Amino acid sequence: MDRKERPIGVFDSGIGGLTVVNKLRTLLPYENIIYLGDTKRNPYGTRTAAEVIAYTRQILHFMEKKGVKLVAMGCNTATAVAYDTVVKTVPFPLIGMSRGIQTAKEISLKKRIGVFATPLTIGKHIHRREAAAVDPTLTIIEQPCPPLAGLIERGIVSGPEIMDALKEYTAPVLAAGADTAIFGCTHFPFIQNLFESLCGDAVVFVDPAHEMALQTLDVLKKDDLLKQDGKEGALHLYFTAEAERGGNSAAHLIPPHKFTVEEISLT
């Protein structure tokens, strides 16, 4: 197969990375994409670093067997924990999840930016380090949100359980005076409306998936790998458990007739 015809690979611990797929399809409509959601072992945010690295290696091996031309890591936790370990071990460009710092910097008037993410991602302080490199005057307010990805994964996107958790997590960010906040987990855009209902007009939310899609475009251009035949790209979704639920979640973002779904085992 011509390298340009090969698919882009995207993966996440579950359904969250579908938000990245949605952005990629908008920006790169001709590209073939395969997505792997590791729903059997979700969430990654409460796993050990060793587990996340092992799971990431398995997924990248799967992507290599599928003949991808590039992999975009649609998982903030895997990017934070595993990227530096695995990036030089794969035969294709590997793009870690964007932090969204540049976009947030351009939006924030107060230069006070909140980050909502999993405990593992927050524990790495990657947003804080990147912000310091981009603009040392930025203040990053880190807020771990332990159960959110798991709740969203189970389809709990409304009701007291998730709202009570969100009230707990948004309160410190609001109290710290943040006027901009980054979704440091790709699951969180699924409940952006809930975040906004609690924060009102005080906070503007940034989805780093847009920056990541732009970065993917840049890499494909640089390596002359863009598929430009004018034919709409195919999208195939793989899940390691509960594929039907994964497909139903995808249908909230992408018309069901635009993708196929399959359940697989990585072990």
Side-chain angles (χ1 to χ4, degrees), residues 101-102 105 126-138:
I101 294 293
Q102 189 60 46
K105 173 181 177 292
I126 51 177
H127 292 84
R128 183 172 289 177
R129 291 202 304 271
E130 184 167 320
V134 169
D135 182 349
T137 68
L138 294 174

Side-chain angles (χ1 to χ4, degrees), residues 6 10 111 138 155 209 221 230 259:
R6 292 183 179 183
V10 183
K111 295 191 174 184
L138 294 174
K221 281 182 176 179
F259 60 83

Side-chain angles (χ1 to χ4, degrees), residues 115-161:
V115 176
F116 296 101
T118 66
L120 265 181
T121 297
I122 292 296
K124 289 287 184 178
H125 306 296
I126 51 177
H127 292 84
R128 183 172 289 177
R129 291 202 304 271
E130 184 167 320
V134 169
D135 182 349
T137 68
L138 294 174
T139 297
I140 301 298
I141 301 104
E142 299 173 315
Q143 180 58 55
C145 308
L148 282 193
L151 291 172
I152 296 165
E153 194 71 28
R154 286 157 41 209
I156 300 172
V157 293
S158 63
E161 185 176 8

Side-chain angles (χ1 to χ4, degrees), residues 204-219:
V204 176
F205 289 90
V206 173
D207 179 359
H210 179 68
E211 278 188 24
M212 189 175 193
L214 290 172
Q215 187 179 358
T216 301
L217 171 61
D218 288 344
V219 172

Side-chain angles (χ1 to χ4, degrees), residues 3 6-11 60 63-64 67-74 83 86-97 212 215-226:
R3 282 193 72 196
R6 292 183 179 183
I8 294 170
V10 183
F11 76 89
L60 293 174
M63 292 292 183
E64 184 175 355
V68 298
K69 61 183 177 183
L70 173 149
V71 168
M73 299 173 71
Y83 180 84
V86 302
V87 64
K88 294 182 180 179
T89 68
V90 291
F92 42 71
L94 183 64
I95 299 176
M97 187 66 205
M212 189 175 193
Q215 187 179 358
T216 301
L217 171 61
D218 288 344
V219 172
L220 292 175
K221 281 182 176 179
K222 179 176 68 69
D223 293 349
D224 192 26
L225 289 175
L226 278 173

Side-chain angles (χ1 to χ4, degrees), residues 20-250:
V20 175
V21 170
N22 194 36
K23 297 287 186 182
L24 287 171
R25 291 184 73 255
T26 300
L27 190 65
L28 300 164
Y30 307 136
E31 295 294 337
N32 298 313
I33 299 174
I34 61 173
Y35 177 79
L36 175 60
D38 193 5
T39 40
K40 185 176 182 178
R41 300 181 293 202
N42 175 274
Y44 281 10
T46 54
R47 298 281 186 174
T48 66
E51 286 176 317
V52 173
I53 291 170
Y55 299 163
T56 301
R57 288 189 190 279
Q58 287 182 330
I59 291 169
L60 293 174
H61 180 63
F62 170 83
M63 292 292 183
E64 184 175 355
K65 289 194 294 182
K66 289 295 179 183
V68 298
K69 61 183 177 183
L70 173 149
V71 168
M73 299 173 71
C75 179
N76 289 272
T77 300
T79 299
V81 175
Y83 180 84
D84 290 341
T85 300
V86 302
V87 64
K88 294 182 180 179
T89 68
V90 291
F92 42 71
L94 183 64
I95 299 176
M97 187 66 205
S98 174
R99 315 293 184 221
I101 294 293
Q102 189 60 46
T103 300
K105 173 181 177 292
E106 293 168 3
I107 293 171
S108 179
L109 298 177
K110 297 180 180 178
K111 295 191 174 184
R112 299 184 68 80
I113 299 167
V115 176
F116 296 101
T118 66
L120 265 181
T121 297
I122 292 296
K124 289 287 184 178
H125 306 296
I126 51 177
H127 292 84
R128 183 172 289 177
R129 291 202 304 271
E130 184 167 320
V134 169
D135 182 349
T137 68
L138 294 174
T139 297
I140 301 298
I141 301 104
E142 299 173 315
Q143 180 58 55
C145 308
L148 282 193
L151 291 172
I152 296 165
E153 194 71 28
R154 286 157 41 209
I156 300 172
V157 293
S158 63
E161 185 176 8
I162 198 163
M163 287 302 293
D164 287 347
L166 280 176
K167 288 174 185 176
E168 178 184 346
Y169 302 141
T170 54
V173 175
L174 289 169
D179 65 353
T180 307
I182 296 169
F183 289 131
C185 174
T186 51
H187 284 73
F188 295 175
F190 277 98
I191 56 168
Q192 181 168 343
N193 63 317
L194 302 186
F195 276 97
E196 290 174 340
S197 72
L198 292 170
C199 296
D201 296 331
V203 177
V204 176
F205 289 90
V206 173
D207 179 359
H210 179 68
E211 278 188 24
M212 189 175 193
L214 290 172
Q215 187 179 358
T216 301
L217 171 61
D218 288 344
V219 172
L220 292 175
K221 281 182 176 179
K222 179 176 68 69
D223 293 349
D224 192 26
L225 289 175
L226 278 173
K227 178 175 171 284
Q228 296 175 311
D229 58 6
K231 297 178 182 177
E232 184 178 24
L235 172 60
H236 194 74
L237 311 179
Y238 295 94
F239 296 96
T240 55
E242 301 184 84
E244 182 178 357
R245 180 172 58 81
N248 290 338
S249 296

